[in-house]
Each structure stands twice: as structure tokens, then as C-alpha cells.
């Protein structure tokens, strides 16, 4: 993942060669979490808007920010977070978004203003190109959180009629040449943390943490597994398991008790009477999680630390 890959993907994208759709979405909670309801909005010249967003990214965003592999601790003020489409973290969600946009029914802008359609949480420009066999050969998606409509009692829309300025009831769309999320070249890019909630990344963090905890349980190298599991399932710690390194877990498991105790002391982790990592206290659980998830200042396996130089989000 690097800035050059995204730069080349955007430069290679020729909006007028794709079939574009303008879509809006609203969110609602269900038993399974947050769900996105998509509605297509009838609008011409969508390719021009998509090209405006593309150009803004090339000329401004990618000048100010660098692309880095996704981490929940990555500062979105300085970085664009990249995730492969096939990653467990995003695969299900991006698949549903693309499918629902492609299958959405078109509505007029007036339907959104009148309340016939739920108030939009965000909107997107989606483009695709098919090959001669009718299969999708290229896809691009730009998403932004927030309603693009100017409406409400506080918004006074005016237009001219002959020589008179009058109140207008015509819906007005306002776009900023920016995007919170991009999908291009089979990679998902988060330009803002605000849209992560619509992709339920926090729930995905918990699901991934649970899978990693199963590996820790099988390794049988912690004394109080229940205490460690409770600590790991907090929202703060669950995010750390994105950077979980199984090689560190295996390295600890191969050591004899004496070597393990000496090695772990470097990271402030103590060993109980059975030679397992002591996880009876909250502080010890935090140290163990940081060690296994590459959050320690020193890399346990002598590599450049993946965590020590990452700036937490504010």
C-alpha cells in the first residue's frame, strides 16, 4: 500500500468511459448492527462530478496526505488508510454497498426533499465499465458522509423570476470536491474516520479480536485467559488486534520457562508459577495485548516496530 498506487489508479481512471450513478444512503440499526439503505437519485452529468472529485484528490488530498495500510490508530489528518477489498475487515461491507447501489431504484431529487425518502446520511458517485461479455471490468466509488441537499427552515433558497428575486422551492444540491471513502483498483481507501461507522469497522475489530483470542487460547501461554479476554473485548483494545502478530505468539510458545521469563521482562510482562504470562491484573493484560499486537516501543522480533510511530486519532 503506498501513495503511488492510488495516484496511478486515479490518473488511469477516465470518468467519461464509465457508466455513472449518483446514489444516497440512510442508516438504520438492526439486530445485525448498522445497515445502509441505498437510493439512486436521477441526475445527469454524474461523470463530471466524479471527475471533479478525482481531480481534487490528485491535486490536493494526495499532496497533503500519504497512503498507509489501515490501522485504527492511524491519524486521518496525515494519512489515507488502505484496505484490500478481500480483507475480512471490509469484504462483506463493500460487497453489500456495491450490490445495493447497482440494484437501487431511481428517485427524483424532490422525493428526498419531501421526506418520501429517509434523510440521507451520505451520498456516493458510482461508476462501472463492462467488457464485451457484459462482465464488470472496472469499478470506482467515491463516498462522502453528510446530506448534499440544502433544505430546512434555516435555508432560504432564492432565484430570479423576471426582475424579481423570489423564494425557490426547487431542491438544491451542494457538493464539495472531496470524498471520505474511495474504492478503486480493488482497494478501499478511508480518507476520514467519520465514515468508518457506516462500514461497522468497530464491530469488525471485535470479531477479529475474538478470532485472535482463540489462537491465544490454543497456545496456552497465558495464566488467566478470562481476564485477558475481558480486556481484549474492550473497544480500545479490540482495535489493536488488527496488528496482531502470530509470529510473536509462536515465538513465546517455543521458549522454555527460564528463557520466556527473561525475554518477557524486557516488555514488563511477568510470568506466573506455571511459566505462563501473568494476566491476573488489568495492567498486565494491557502489556500482553500490546506485546502481541505490536504496540510495544520495541519490536519483539527485532524488526521495525509497526506501532511505535503511529499517531493515535484525536
Amino acid at each position: 500500500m503506498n501513495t503511488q498506487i492510488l495516484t496511478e489508479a486515479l490518473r488511469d481512471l477516465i470518468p467519461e468511459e464509465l457508466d455513472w450513478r449518483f446514489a444516497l444512503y440512510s442508516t438504520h440499526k438492526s439486530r445485525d448492527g448498522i445497515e445502509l439503505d441505498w437510493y439512486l437519485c436521477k441526475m445527469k452529468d454524474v461523470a463530471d462530478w466524479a471527475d471533479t472529485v478525482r481531480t481534487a484528490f490528485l491535486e490536493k488530498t494526495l499532496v497533503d496526505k500519504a497512503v498507509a495500510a489501515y490501522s485504527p490508530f492511524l491519524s486521518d489528518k496525515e494519512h489515507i488508510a488502505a484496505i484490500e477489498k478481500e480483507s475480512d475487515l471490509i469484504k462483506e461491507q463493500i460487497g453489500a454497498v456495491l450490490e445495493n447501489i447497482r440494484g437501487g431504484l431511481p428517485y427524483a431529487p424532490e422525493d428526498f426533499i419531501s421526506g418520501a425518502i429517509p434523510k440521507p446520511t451520505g451520498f456516493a458517485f458510482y461508476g462501472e465499465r463492462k467488457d464485451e461479455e457484459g462482465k464488470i471490468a472496472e469499478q470506482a466509488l467515491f463516498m462522502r458522509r453528510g446530506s448534499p441537499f440544502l433544505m430546512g427552515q434555516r435555508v432560504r433558497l432564492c432565484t430570479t423570476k423576471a426582475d424579481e428575486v423570489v423564494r425557490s422551492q426547487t431542491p438544491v444540491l451542494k457538493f464539495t470536491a472531496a470524498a471520505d471513502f474511495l474504492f478503486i483498483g480493488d482497494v478501499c481507501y478511508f480518507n476520514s474516520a467519520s465514515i468508518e461507522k457506516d462500514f461497522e469497522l468497530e464491530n469488525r475489530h471485535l470479531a477479529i479480536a475474538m478470532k485472535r483470542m482463540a489462537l491465544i487460547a490454543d497456545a496456552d501461554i497465558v495464566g488467566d485467559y478470562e481476564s485477558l479476554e475481558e480486556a481484549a473485548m474492550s473497544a480500545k483494545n479490540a482495535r489493536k488486534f488488527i496488528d496482531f502478530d502470530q509470529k510473536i505468539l509462536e515465538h513465546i510458545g517455543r521458549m522454555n520457562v527460564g528463557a520466556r521469563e527473561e525475554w518477557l521482562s524486557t516488555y514488563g510482562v511477568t510470568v506466573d508459577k506455571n511459566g505462563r504470562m501473568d494476566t491476573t491484573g488489568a495492567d498486565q493484560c494491557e502489556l500482553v495485548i500490546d506485546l502481541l499486537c505490536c504496540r510495544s516501543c520495541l519490536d519483539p522480533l527485532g524488526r521495525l516496530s509497526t506501532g511505535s510511530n503511529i499517531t493515535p486519532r484525536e
Side-chain angles (χ1 to χ4, degrees), residues 166-186:
V166 298
R167 290 286 295 273
S168 172
Q169 301 301 317
T170 304
V172 175
L173 288 166
K174 179 182 179 181
F175 297 120
T176 301
D180 296 321
F181 175 86
L182 290 78
F183 170 65
I184 186 170
D186 290 331

Side-chain angles (χ1 to χ4, degrees), residues 22-26 37-42 105-120 122 147-149 151 171 173:
F22 175 58
L24 297 100
Y25 70 93
S26 60
D37 297 320
W38 285 93
Y39 308 89
L40 297 184
C41 183
K42 298 176 182 178
L105 297 175
Y107 293 85
E110 290 82 356
D111 292 328
F112 295 91
I113 299 297
S114 67
I117 305 299
K119 182 179 179 180
S147 175
F149 291 106
M151 54 186 171
L173 288 166

Side-chain angles (χ1 to χ4, degrees), residues 61-79:
T61 306
L62 286 170
V63 174
D64 297 335
K65 293 186 177 185
V67 174
Y70 173 82
S71 168
F73 297 92
L74 198 68
S75 170
D76 61 5
K77 292 182 179 180
E78 300 176 356
H79 297 92

Side-chain angles (χ1 to χ4, degrees), residues 236-254:
K236 180 188 73 171
N237 284 328
R239 295 185 300 168
K240 297 178 181 179
F241 281 85
I242 297 299
D243 297 320
F244 175 83
D245 192 334
Q246 189 172 348
K247 291 182 179 179
I248 298 174
L249 181 71
E250 294 170 350
H251 182 69
I252 297 171
R254 287 193 297 265

Side-chain angles (χ1 to χ4, degrees), residues 47-107:
D48 288 342
W49 285 108
D51 190 47
T52 299
V53 176
R54 181 189 74 91
T55 302
F57 248 88
L58 285 170
E59 297 181 354
K60 186 179 187 305
T61 306
L62 286 170
V63 174
D64 297 335
K65 293 186 177 185
V67 174
Y70 173 82
S71 168
F73 297 92
L74 198 68
S75 170
D76 61 5
K77 292 182 179 180
E78 300 176 356
H79 297 92
I80 298 170
I83 312 175
E84 295 283 352
K85 176 190 175 183
E86 295 303 314
S87 168
D88 289 342
L89 192 63
I90 197 73
K91 181 178 180 179
E92 183 178 340
Q93 298 94 310
I94 187 62
V97 167
L98 296 175
E99 180 181 355
N100 289 328
I101 290 179
R102 297 185 71 242
L105 297 175
Y107 293 85

Side-chain angles (χ1 to χ4, degrees), residues 223-241:
D224 187 343
Y225 176 80
E226 287 73 20
S227 294
L228 184 65
E229 183 178 46
E230 181 178 354
M233 290 302 104
S234 70
K236 180 188 73 171
N237 284 328
R239 295 185 300 168
K240 297 178 181 179
F241 281 85

